[in-house]
Amino acid sequence: MAFFAWLNDQLLRMDWLSYLVRLLLEDGFGLDTLSRVGASLHFFIYDVIKIFILLAVLIFSISWVQSYFPPERTRLILGRMRGVRANLMGALLGTITPFCSCSSIPLFIGFTGSGLPLGVTFSFLISSPLVDLASVILLASIFNWSIALAYVLVGIVLAVLGGSLISQARMERYVEGFVLHSKVLDLPPTQLTRRDRLQFAWEQVADVFSRVWLYVLIGVGIGAAIHNWIPQELISTLIGEDNWWSVPLATLVGVPMYADIFGTLPIAEALVAKGVGLGTALAFMMAVTALSLPSLIMLKKVVKGPLLALFFSIVLVGIVLIGYLFNSFAYLFI
């Protein structure tokens, strides 16, 4: 166990990187890393480099696996399933796609247009921005594996239940006509060479970096400010774990924002360090990634009001319940 703990600290938490950044700031620039300025710079530099290193490795690995499951092949696999099993597969598919909520919508259109059940495509749409493998590893690097795995489990359960409820509601009539009648190319799967897969994986890394780098910088910057400049008493008064309203407030605050999960993780880390409940911080993170205003606006273009309202209500209530759940049982994970 000691070896695995050491491996986790060095590979995921990157304690060696934290030490090098501290050495650089103290010996190279003469900054005290226990001061506000020094601690903020250490938090920012260390977290940014750590997140980008992990992102590059994880997105490359995930994309390599993805190269064996192009959308057409995935559609064929899902098309043979029905019921909860199909919803579960749709949710699991979302976990291996490193997409934000807006990027998931084109795939949602393609899956729906190809005849997949509406509930299955919504299970995918919920899980894709919420629970992807890269974010799981980053959660483990910031918190621990217990929290990361519990987060995955509740995220998949929410996606399956959400998709199942939408399926039972029979809301197909509230999908815009152009989605249901969109053309789908039924091409035979191509055999990719190793070089093709390498190129695809590197292209995915570059694409994800181009979409998330700014949000990572902003998120880490906000996290550094929360961690070192905002008084703990103020945060505890507003969204401390003893306040019953902290979870719904954090969820509602997160909805209008737009950021990738990689940008919200450092904020969640700083909030927990300041005494905010684990569930409150995770609820904020989930609301930003799954219910951001830009993604809802995009989704409104492909589904009608009643279906959008049902989707929003299910995910919102689910996030709040998950937040309370994590707050109540946080002692099991920390």
Side-chain angles (χ1 to χ4, degrees):
M1 289 298 293
F3 172 74
F4 286 109
W6 176 85
L7 204 62
N8 184 77
D9 289 340
Q10 299 306 317
L11 293 182
L12 292 183
R13 294 185 182 275
M14 297 189 192
D15 287 350
W16 58 270
L17 177 61
S18 177
Y19 172 76
L20 288 178
V21 173
R22 182 174 290 108
L23 202 65
L24 173 67
L25 293 174
E26 291 181 346
D27 295 352
F29 294 93
L31 285 173
D32 180 8
T33 53
L34 296 179
S35 67
R36 281 188 172 182
V37 173
S40 298
L41 282 173
H42 180 272
F43 184 100
F44 184 84
I45 296 171
Y46 163 63
D47 261 39
V48 166
I49 296 175
K50 179 181 73 172
I51 289 173
F52 280 146
I53 290 174
L54 287 174
L55 264 184
V57 173
L58 294 168
I59 298 302
F60 182 88
S61 304
I62 293 167
S63 299
W64 180 278
V65 174
Q66 265 190 288
S67 69
Y68 290 92
F69 296 94
E72 180 58 25
R73 184 177 180 185
T74 303
R75 182 186 71 82
L76 292 173
I77 293 171
L78 289 175
R80 294 195 292 264
M81 299 178 182
R82 290 293 180 270
V84 175
R85 185 186 175 203
N87 289 108
L88 177 59
M89 287 303 298
L92 291 174
L93 172 65
T95 66
I96 61 171
T97 52
F99 300 136
C100 64
S101 52
C102 290
S103 302
S104 303
I105 291 175
L107 274 178
F108 166 82
I109 294 173
F111 288 157
T112 305
S114 66
L116 288 181
L118 188 63
V120 176
T121 58
F122 267 100
S123 288
F124 167 82
L125 188 64
I126 294 170
S127 72
S128 183
L130 208 57
V131 188
D132 64 69
L133 294 179
S135 66
V136 172
I137 303 297
L138 285 172
L139 264 174
S141 73
I142 289 175
F143 296 113
N144 59 50
W145 277 105
S146 297
I147 293 173
L149 294 176
Y151 175 83
V152 171
L153 178 62
V154 297
I156 290 175
V157 169
L158 175 58
V160 172
L161 287 177
S164 299
L165 288 172
I166 289 172
S167 179
Q168 290 298 316
R170 304 196 181 280
M171 305 287 281
E172 286 78 6
R173 64 187 181 280
Y174 295 113
V175 178
E176 295 292 349
F178 78 91
V179 176
L180 296 174
H181 300 100
S182 58
K183 293 182 178 179
V184 179
L185 292 177
D186 196 7
L187 299 176
T190 57
Q191 293 296 322
L192 297 178
T193 65
R194 179 175 295 181
R195 170 177 257 179
D196 293 333
R197 297 188 195 283
L198 282 171
Q199 183 178 350
F200 172 75
W202 280 119
E203 286 174 352
Q204 288 295 99
V205 171
D207 178 61
V208 171
F209 265 65
S210 69
R211 289 190 285 109
V212 308
W213 69 269
L214 181 60
Y215 299 117
V216 171
L217 295 182
I218 293 173
V220 176
I222 293 173
I226 293 172
H227 200 277
N228 298 288
W229 294 91
I230 300 179
Q232 183 168 340
E233 296 77 14
L234 177 61
I235 293 177
S236 297
T237 300
L238 294 175
I239 52 173
E241 57 184 326
D242 294 331
N243 300 325
W244 67 265
W245 64 79
S246 63
V247 173
L249 178 61
T251 304
L252 292 175
V253 168
V255 169
M257 300 183 183
Y258 177 68
D260 200 280
I261 194 169
F262 310 117
T264 56
L265 275 168
I267 301 175
E269 175 188 13
L271 288 173
V272 171
K274 282 290 186 177
V276 173
L278 175 63
T280 304
L282 292 180
F284 168 78
M285 185 180 77
M286 295 172 83
V288 172
T289 54
L291 291 177
S292 66
L293 191 58
S295 68
L296 292 175
I297 292 172
M298 285 186 65
L299 191 58
K300 180 65 177 68
K301 302 293 184 182
V302 297
V303 301
K304 298 175 183 177
L307 179 52
L308 182 66
L310 180 61
F311 164 77
F312 180 84
S313 301
I314 290 172
V315 177
L316 182 71
V317 171
I319 289 173
V320 171
L321 291 177
I322 288 170
Y324 281 126
L325 185 68
F326 269 101
N327 277 350
S328 299
F329 296 99
Y331 66 90
L332 296 175
F333 305 111
I334 297 177

PDB file of all heavy atoms in Angstrom, residues 39-52:
ATOM      1  N   ALA A  39       2.350  31.984  -2.155  1.00  0.00           N
ATOM      2  CA  ALA A  39       1.450  30.829  -2.151  1.00  0.00           C
ATOM      3  C   ALA A  39       0.534  30.837  -3.369  1.00  0.00           C
ATOM      4  O   ALA A  39       0.240  29.791  -3.947  1.00  0.00           O
ATOM      5  CB  ALA A  39       0.624  30.812  -0.869  1.00  0.00           C
ATOM      6  N   SER A  40       0.069  32.024  -3.767  1.00  0.00           N
ATOM      7  CA  SER A  40      -0.797  32.143  -4.939  1.00  0.00           C
ATOM      8  C   SER A  40      -0.049  31.742  -6.208  1.00  0.00           C
ATOM      9  O   SER A  40      -0.579  31.014  -7.052  1.00  0.00           O
ATOM     10  CB  SER A  40      -1.327  33.570  -5.077  1.00  0.00           C
ATOM     11  OG  SER A  40      -2.112  33.937  -3.971  1.00  0.00           O
ATOM     12  N   LEU A  41       1.190  32.234  -6.340  1.00  0.00           N
ATOM     13  CA  LEU A  41       1.988  31.891  -7.517  1.00  0.00           C
ATOM     14  C   LEU A  41       2.303  30.395  -7.537  1.00  0.00           C
ATOM     15  O   LEU A  41       2.261  29.760  -8.596  1.00  0.00           O
ATOM     16  CB  LEU A  41       3.289  32.699  -7.527  1.00  0.00           C
ATOM     17  CG  LEU A  41       3.160  34.153  -7.990  1.00  0.00           C
ATOM     18  CD1 LEU A  41       4.477  34.898  -7.779  1.00  0.00           C
ATOM     19  CD2 LEU A  41       2.741  34.219  -9.455  1.00  0.00           C
ATOM     20  N   HIS A  42       2.619  29.839  -6.374  1.00  0.00           N
ATOM     21  CA  HIS A  42       2.898  28.401  -6.308  1.00  0.00           C
ATOM     22  C   HIS A  42       1.674  27.593  -6.719  1.00  0.00           C
ATOM     23  O   HIS A  42       1.767  26.656  -7.517  1.00  0.00           O
ATOM     24  CB  HIS A  42       3.334  28.010  -4.895  1.00  0.00           C
ATOM     25  CG  HIS A  42       3.643  26.556  -4.749  1.00  0.00           C
ATOM     26  ND1 HIS A  42       2.680  25.609  -4.427  1.00  0.00           N
ATOM     27  CD2 HIS A  42       4.803  25.857  -4.923  1.00  0.00           C
ATOM     28  CE1 HIS A  42       3.234  24.420  -4.390  1.00  0.00           C
ATOM     29  NE2 HIS A  42       4.517  24.527  -4.677  1.00  0.00           N
ATOM     30  N   PHE A  43       0.499  27.945  -6.185  1.00  0.00           N
ATOM     31  CA  PHE A  43      -0.748  27.265  -6.532  1.00  0.00           C
ATOM     32  C   PHE A  43      -0.998  27.352  -8.026  1.00  0.00           C
ATOM     33  O   PHE A  43      -1.320  26.344  -8.674  1.00  0.00           O
ATOM     34  CB  PHE A  43      -1.905  27.910  -5.763  1.00  0.00           C
ATOM     35  CG  PHE A  43      -3.242  27.233  -5.955  1.00  0.00           C
ATOM     36  CD1 PHE A  43      -3.735  26.350  -5.009  1.00  0.00           C
ATOM     37  CD2 PHE A  43      -4.016  27.475  -7.088  1.00  0.00           C
ATOM     38  CE1 PHE A  43      -4.975  25.724  -5.165  1.00  0.00           C
ATOM     39  CE2 PHE A  43      -5.243  26.856  -7.266  1.00  0.00           C
ATOM     40  CZ  PHE A  43      -5.724  25.981  -6.305  1.00  0.00           C
ATOM     41  N   PHE A  44      -0.833  28.552  -8.603  1.00  0.00           N
ATOM     42  CA  PHE A  44      -1.145  28.765 -10.014  1.00  0.00           C
ATOM     43  C   PHE A  44      -0.201  27.980 -10.920  1.00  0.00           C
ATOM     44  O   PHE A  44      -0.637  27.225 -11.799  1.00  0.00           O
ATOM     45  CB  PHE A  44      -1.066  30.256 -10.345  1.00  0.00           C
ATOM     46  CG  PHE A  44      -1.456  30.579 -11.761  1.00  0.00           C
ATOM     47  CD1 PHE A  44      -2.788  30.744 -12.097  1.00  0.00           C
ATOM     48  CD2 PHE A  44      -0.499  30.709 -12.758  1.00  0.00           C
ATOM     49  CE1 PHE A  44      -3.169  31.036 -13.410  1.00  0.00           C
ATOM     50  CE2 PHE A  44      -0.865  30.997 -14.068  1.00  0.00           C
ATOM     51  CZ  PHE A  44      -2.204  31.156 -14.391  1.00  0.00           C
ATOM     52  N   ILE A  45       1.112  28.140 -10.714  1.00  0.00           N
ATOM     53  CA  ILE A  45       2.089  27.496 -11.598  1.00  0.00           C
ATOM     54  C   ILE A  45       2.005  25.984 -11.485  1.00  0.00           C
ATOM     55  O   ILE A  45       1.969  25.260 -12.490  1.00  0.00           O
ATOM     56  CB  ILE A  45       3.513  27.987 -11.271  1.00  0.00           C
ATOM     57  CG1 ILE A  45       3.633  29.493 -11.550  1.00  0.00           C
ATOM     58  CG2 ILE A  45       4.549  27.221 -12.090  1.00  0.00           C
ATOM     59  CD1 ILE A  45       4.927  30.102 -11.054  1.00  0.00           C
ATOM     60  N   TYR A  46       1.948  25.490 -10.254  1.00  0.00           N
ATOM     61  CA  TYR A  46       1.904  24.047 -10.018  1.00  0.00           C
ATOM     62  C   TYR A  46       0.650  23.430 -10.619  1.00  0.00           C
ATOM     63  O   TYR A  46       0.722  22.420 -11.344  1.00  0.00           O
ATOM     64  CB  TYR A  46       1.980  23.787  -8.514  1.00  0.00           C
ATOM     65  CG  TYR A  46       1.555  22.395  -8.085  1.00  0.00           C
ATOM     66  CD1 TYR A  46       2.259  21.266  -8.506  1.00  0.00           C
ATOM     67  CD2 TYR A  46       0.454  22.213  -7.245  1.00  0.00           C
ATOM     68  CE1 TYR A  46       1.869  19.994  -8.113  1.00  0.00           C
ATOM     69  CE2 TYR A  46       0.060  20.948  -6.846  1.00  0.00           C
ATOM     70  CZ  TYR A  46       0.762  19.846  -7.279  1.00  0.00           C
ATOM     71  OH  TYR A  46       0.373  18.595  -6.890  1.00  0.00           O
ATOM     72  N   ASP A  47      -0.523  24.008 -10.361  1.00  0.00           N
ATOM     73  CA  ASP A  47      -1.766  23.424 -10.856  1.00  0.00           C
ATOM     74  C   ASP A  47      -1.875  23.480 -12.375  1.00  0.00           C
ATOM     75  O   ASP A  47      -2.347  22.525 -13.004  1.00  0.00           O
ATOM     76  CB  ASP A  47      -2.976  24.135 -10.222  1.00  0.00           C
ATOM     77  CG  ASP A  47      -3.538  23.343  -9.054  1.00  0.00           C
ATOM     78  OD1 ASP A  47      -2.726  22.775  -8.302  1.00  0.00           O
ATOM     79  OD2 ASP A  47      -4.767  23.280  -8.892  1.00  0.00           O
ATOM     80  N   VAL A  48      -1.443  24.591 -12.974  1.00  0.00           N
ATOM     81  CA  VAL A  48      -1.529  24.718 -14.438  1.00  0.00           C
ATOM     82  C   VAL A  48      -0.656  23.663 -15.114  1.00  0.00           C
ATOM     83  O   VAL A  48      -1.102  22.951 -16.019  1.00  0.00           O
ATOM     84  CB  VAL A  48      -1.110  26.137 -14.887  1.00  0.00           C
ATOM     85  CG1 VAL A  48      -0.852  26.171 -16.402  1.00  0.00           C
ATOM     86  CG2 VAL A  48      -2.192  27.146 -14.539  1.00  0.00           C
ATOM     87  N   ILE A  49       0.595  23.550 -14.673  1.00  0.00           N
ATOM     88  CA  ILE A  49       1.501  22.579 -15.293  1.00  0.00           C
ATOM     89  C   ILE A  49       0.989  21.154 -15.069  1.00  0.00           C
ATOM     90  O   ILE A  49       0.977  20.324 -15.989  1.00  0.00           O
ATOM     91  CB  ILE A  49       2.933  22.732 -14.745  1.00  0.00           C
ATOM     92  CG1 ILE A  49       3.492  24.112 -15.126  1.00  0.00           C
ATOM     93  CG2 ILE A  49       3.839  21.624 -15.291  1.00  0.00           C
ATOM     94  CD1 ILE A  49       4.853  24.399 -14.523  1.00  0.00           C
ATOM     95  N   LYS A  50       0.541  20.855 -13.838  1.00  0.00           N
ATOM     96  CA  LYS A  50       0.050  19.510 -13.525  1.00  0.00           C
ATOM     97  C   LYS A  50      -1.156  19.154 -14.392  1.00  0.00           C
ATOM     98  O   LYS A  50      -1.206  18.057 -14.975  1.00  0.00           O
ATOM     99  CB  LYS A  50      -0.337  19.424 -12.049  1.00  0.00           C
ATOM    100  CG  LYS A  50      -0.891  18.058 -11.648  1.00  0.00           C
ATOM    101  CD  LYS A  50      -1.301  18.007 -10.185  1.00  0.00           C
ATOM    102  CE  LYS A  50      -2.571  18.783  -9.933  1.00  0.00           C
ATOM    103  NZ  LYS A  50      -3.086  18.590  -8.555  1.00  0.00           N
ATOM    104  N   ILE A  51      -2.114  20.066 -14.507  1.00  0.00           N
ATOM    105  CA  ILE A  51      -3.323  19.791 -15.285  1.00  0.00           C
ATOM    106  C   ILE A  51      -2.975  19.585 -16.756  1.00  0.00           C
ATOM    107  O   ILE A  51      -3.477  18.655 -17.402  1.00  0.00           O
ATOM    108  CB  ILE A  51      -4.350  20.925 -15.113  1.00  0.00           C
ATOM    109  CG1 ILE A  51      -4.940  20.875 -13.700  1.00  0.00           C
ATOM    110  CG2 ILE A  51      -5.466  20.821 -16.150  1.00  0.00           C
ATOM    111  CD1 ILE A  51      -5.842  22.048 -13.371  1.00  0.00           C
ATOM    112  N   PHE A  52      -2.089  20.406 -17.297  1.00  0.00           N
ATOM    113  CA  PHE A  52      -1.747  20.274 -18.715  1.00  0.00           C
ATOM    114  C   PHE A  52      -0.979  18.974 -18.991  1.00  0.00           C
ATOM    115  O   PHE A  52      -1.179  18.336 -20.025  1.00  0.00           O
ATOM    116  CB  PHE A  52      -0.933  21.479 -19.184  1.00  0.00           C
ATOM    117  CG  PHE A  52      -1.777  22.690 -19.477  1.00  0.00           C
ATOM    118  CD1 PHE A  52      -1.312  23.971 -19.230  1.00  0.00           C
ATOM    119  CD2 PHE A  52      -3.047  22.555 -20.006  1.00  0.00           C
ATOM    120  CE1 PHE A  52      -2.086  25.087 -19.507  1.00  0.00           C
ATOM    121  CE2 PHE A  52      -3.837  23.662 -20.284  1.00  0.00           C
ATOM    122  CZ  PHE A  52      -3.358  24.930 -20.037  1.00  0.00           C
TER     123      PHE A  52
END
